[in-house]
Amino acid sequence: MAERKKVLAVDDNPVQLTLFKNILSNKYDLFTANSATNALKFMNESEVDIILLDIEMPNINGFQFLTEIRTIPSYMLVPIIIVSGKTGQEFFAEARKSSAADVLGKPVVPESLIESIEKVLNKPE
């Protein structure tokens, strides 16, 4: 049996983290962090295969977090899917310029989330 992929969901909204658990726990090993700071602490101790990242968070926003983790050698190439409630053209332009592999809007459609994760994880290097 194939090893389950490890997903880290980073979002300051506990309802969103519960939603991720409900959608993904049957298929992936899901870890959650309610802030970028907590995510960085977790990432210093563990490796993950993919990160789901909210953009609007206190202290360190998602784009700052994304820039910071790209300086960590073991996380330079880990795929990141931005999951955000932001919908403006400026946001999507910034998201496309970032090193994120995909961008999804909130509310998250379960099938779209799983499809995006599978697409990103199975993308040839």
Side-chain angles (χ1 to χ4, degrees):
M1 190 160 113
E3 187 176 319
R4 287 166 54 109
K5 297 292 186 180
K6 295 176 184 165
V7 177
L8 173 61
V10 185
D11 198 306
D12 62 319
N13 182 336
V15 173
Q16 186 64 46
L17 293 175
T18 299
L19 180 63
F20 286 141
K21 283 181 185 176
N22 291 340
I23 296 169
L24 301 174
S25 291
N26 289 336
K27 187 170 178 95
Y28 304 101
D29 288 339
L30 181 69
F31 303 92
T32 61
N34 62 2
S35 71
T37 303
N38 288 338
L40 288 168
K41 286 178 189 172
F42 176 83
M43 292 164 60
N44 283 328
E45 300 168 8
S46 303
E47 290 191 10
V48 296
D49 298 298
I50 191 166
I51 298 169
L52 305 177
L53 178 62
D54 183 30
I55 293 300
E56 294 184 296
M57 295 186 291
N59 302 321
I60 301 172
N61 74 34
F63 288 123
Q64 293 166 324
F65 174 79
L66 204 155
T67 300
E68 189 166 332
I69 66 169
R70 291 303 187 213
T71 66
I72 303 168
S74 59
Y75 279 94
M76 283 181 170
L77 300 175
V78 171
I80 296 171
I81 298 173
I82 293 172
V83 183
S84 179
K86 294 186 91 169
T87 58
Q89 288 183 335
E90 282 183 33
F91 163 73
F92 279 103
E94 187 173 1
R96 281 192 289 278
K97 282 190 252 176
S98 74
S99 61
D102 201 359
V103 181
L104 296 175
K106 291 179 183 175
V108 174
V109 176
E111 295 79 14
S112 297
L113 178 61
I114 291 170
E115 182 180 296
S116 178
I117 291 170
E118 289 297 313
K119 177 182 75 175
V120 169
L121 287 176
N122 294 317
K123 190 176 187 178
E125 308 256 339

Short mmCIF file of all heavy atoms in Angstrom, two decimals, residues 9-11 15-25 30 32 52-53 83 106 108 113:
data_model
loop_
_atom_site.label_atom_id
_atom_site.label_comp_id
_atom_site.label_asym_id
_atom_site.label_seq_id
_atom_site.Cartn_x
_atom_site.Cartn_y
_atom_site.Cartn_z
N ALA A 9 -2.06 22.13 6.63
CA ALA A 9 -3.01 23.21 6.37
C ALA A 9 -2.73 24.36 7.34
O ALA A 9 -2.69 24.14 8.56
CB ALA A 9 -4.44 22.71 6.55
N VAL A 10 -2.51 25.55 6.80
CA VAL A 10 -2.18 26.73 7.61
C VAL A 10 -3.29 27.75 7.43
O VAL A 10 -3.46 28.31 6.34
CB VAL A 10 -0.82 27.34 7.18
CG1 VAL A 10 -0.45 28.49 8.11
CG2 VAL A 10 0.27 26.28 7.13
N ASP A 11 -4.06 27.97 8.50
CA ASP A 11 -5.19 28.90 8.43
C ASP A 11 -5.51 29.35 9.85
O ASP A 11 -5.50 28.52 10.76
CB ASP A 11 -6.40 28.21 7.80
CG ASP A 11 -7.45 29.19 7.30
OD1 ASP A 11 -7.90 30.05 8.09
OD2 ASP A 11 -7.84 29.08 6.12
N VAL A 15 -12.66 26.97 11.99
CA VAL A 15 -13.71 26.32 11.19
C VAL A 15 -13.12 25.80 9.88
O VAL A 15 -13.42 24.69 9.44
CB VAL A 15 -14.89 27.29 10.95
CG1 VAL A 15 -15.90 26.70 9.98
CG2 VAL A 15 -15.55 27.67 12.27
N GLN A 16 -12.25 26.60 9.26
CA GLN A 16 -11.61 26.18 8.00
C GLN A 16 -10.72 24.96 8.24
O GLN A 16 -10.69 24.03 7.44
CB GLN A 16 -10.80 27.32 7.40
CG GLN A 16 -10.25 27.01 6.02
CD GLN A 16 -11.33 26.80 4.98
OE1 GLN A 16 -12.28 27.56 4.90
NE2 GLN A 16 -11.20 25.75 4.20
N LEU A 17 -9.97 24.96 9.34
CA LEU A 17 -9.11 23.81 9.65
C LEU A 17 -9.94 22.55 9.87
O LEU A 17 -9.56 21.46 9.43
CB LEU A 17 -8.22 24.11 10.86
CG LEU A 17 -7.17 25.20 10.65
CD1 LEU A 17 -6.43 25.49 11.95
CD2 LEU A 17 -6.19 24.82 9.54
N THR A 18 -11.09 22.69 10.54
CA THR A 18 -11.99 21.54 10.74
C THR A 18 -12.52 21.06 9.39
O THR A 18 -12.61 19.85 9.14
CB THR A 18 -13.15 21.92 11.68
OG1 THR A 18 -12.60 22.28 12.94
CG2 THR A 18 -14.12 20.76 11.86
N LEU A 19 -12.85 21.98 8.52
CA LEU A 19 -13.32 21.62 7.18
C LEU A 19 -12.25 20.83 6.43
O LEU A 19 -12.53 19.80 5.83
CB LEU A 19 -13.71 22.88 6.40
CG LEU A 19 -14.23 22.67 4.98
CD1 LEU A 19 -15.53 21.87 4.99
CD2 LEU A 19 -14.45 24.01 4.31
N PHE A 20 -11.01 21.30 6.48
CA PHE A 20 -9.90 20.56 5.84
C PHE A 20 -9.81 19.14 6.42
O PHE A 20 -9.64 18.18 5.68
CB PHE A 20 -8.57 21.28 6.04
CG PHE A 20 -8.38 22.50 5.19
CD1 PHE A 20 -7.76 23.63 5.72
CD2 PHE A 20 -8.79 22.55 3.87
CE1 PHE A 20 -7.56 24.76 4.94
CE2 PHE A 20 -8.60 23.68 3.08
CZ PHE A 20 -7.99 24.78 3.63
N LYS A 21 -9.93 19.02 7.74
CA LYS A 21 -9.87 17.70 8.38
C LYS A 21 -10.98 16.80 7.85
O LYS A 21 -10.75 15.63 7.52
CB LYS A 21 -9.97 17.81 9.90
CG LYS A 21 -8.72 18.28 10.57
CD LYS A 21 -8.90 18.35 12.08
CE LYS A 21 -7.67 18.94 12.73
NZ LYS A 21 -7.81 19.13 14.16
N ASN A 22 -12.19 17.34 7.78
CA ASN A 22 -13.33 16.55 7.31
C ASN A 22 -13.15 16.10 5.86
O ASN A 22 -13.54 15.00 5.51
CB ASN A 22 -14.63 17.35 7.46
CG ASN A 22 -15.01 17.55 8.91
OD1 ASN A 22 -14.56 16.85 9.81
ND2 ASN A 22 -15.84 18.56 9.15
N ILE A 23 -12.57 16.94 5.04
CA ILE A 23 -12.41 16.63 3.62
C ILE A 23 -11.23 15.69 3.38
O ILE A 23 -11.31 14.78 2.55
CB ILE A 23 -12.21 17.93 2.80
CG1 ILE A 23 -13.45 18.81 2.87
CG2 ILE A 23 -11.86 17.60 1.34
CD1 ILE A 23 -13.24 20.22 2.30
N LEU A 24 -10.13 15.88 4.12
CA LEU A 24 -8.87 15.25 3.74
C LEU A 24 -8.39 14.10 4.62
O LEU A 24 -7.56 13.30 4.18
CB LEU A 24 -7.76 16.31 3.69
CG LEU A 24 -8.00 17.47 2.72
CD1 LEU A 24 -6.92 18.52 2.89
CD2 LEU A 24 -8.08 16.97 1.29
N SER A 25 -8.87 13.98 5.84
CA SER A 25 -8.31 13.00 6.77
C SER A 25 -8.41 11.55 6.33
O SER A 25 -7.59 10.73 6.73
CB SER A 25 -8.94 13.17 8.16
OG SER A 25 -8.51 14.37 8.72
N LEU A 30 -3.09 14.61 7.73
CA LEU A 30 -3.29 16.05 7.77
C LEU A 30 -2.78 16.63 9.08
O LEU A 30 -3.09 16.12 10.16
CB LEU A 30 -4.78 16.39 7.62
CG LEU A 30 -5.10 17.88 7.63
CD1 LEU A 30 -4.57 18.56 6.38
CD2 LEU A 30 -6.59 18.11 7.78
N THR A 32 -2.29 20.52 11.03
CA THR A 32 -2.82 21.88 10.93
C THR A 32 -2.00 22.83 11.79
O THR A 32 -1.40 22.45 12.79
CB THR A 32 -4.30 21.93 11.38
OG1 THR A 32 -4.39 21.52 12.74
CG2 THR A 32 -5.17 21.05 10.49
N LEU A 52 -1.32 23.67 2.32
CA LEU A 52 -2.50 24.47 1.99
C LEU A 52 -2.36 25.75 2.81
O LEU A 52 -2.21 25.69 4.03
CB LEU A 52 -3.79 23.74 2.38
CG LEU A 52 -3.97 22.35 1.80
CD1 LEU A 52 -5.26 21.72 2.33
CD2 LEU A 52 -3.98 22.40 0.28
N LEU A 53 -2.42 26.89 2.15
CA LEU A 53 -2.05 28.14 2.81
C LEU A 53 -3.10 29.23 2.63
O LEU A 53 -3.41 29.62 1.51
CB LEU A 53 -0.70 28.62 2.23
CG LEU A 53 -0.14 29.93 2.74
CD1 LEU A 53 0.14 29.86 4.24
CD2 LEU A 53 1.13 30.28 1.97
N VAL A 83 -5.25 28.89 -0.48
CA VAL A 83 -6.70 28.77 -0.31
C VAL A 83 -7.15 30.04 0.39
O VAL A 83 -6.82 30.26 1.56
CB VAL A 83 -7.07 27.52 0.53
CG1 VAL A 83 -8.57 27.38 0.62
CG2 VAL A 83 -6.44 26.26 -0.06
N LYS A 106 -12.30 30.38 -1.35
CA LYS A 106 -13.17 29.91 -0.28
C LYS A 106 -14.56 30.42 -0.58
O LYS A 106 -14.69 31.50 -1.14
CB LYS A 106 -12.72 30.46 1.08
CG LYS A 106 -11.41 29.90 1.58
CD LYS A 106 -11.08 30.54 2.92
CE LYS A 106 -9.76 30.09 3.47
NZ LYS A 106 -9.38 30.78 4.70
N VAL A 108 -14.30 26.42 0.15
CA VAL A 108 -13.64 25.34 -0.58
C VAL A 108 -14.67 24.30 -1.00
O VAL A 108 -15.50 23.86 -0.21
CB VAL A 108 -12.57 24.68 0.32
CG1 VAL A 108 -11.98 23.46 -0.35
CG2 VAL A 108 -11.50 25.67 0.66
N LEU A 113 -10.73 20.77 -4.09
CA LEU A 113 -9.56 20.71 -3.22
C LEU A 113 -8.78 19.42 -3.46
O LEU A 113 -7.57 19.45 -3.68
CB LEU A 113 -9.97 20.84 -1.75
CG LEU A 113 -8.83 20.75 -0.74
CD1 LEU A 113 -7.82 21.88 -0.94
CD2 LEU A 113 -9.39 20.77 0.68
#
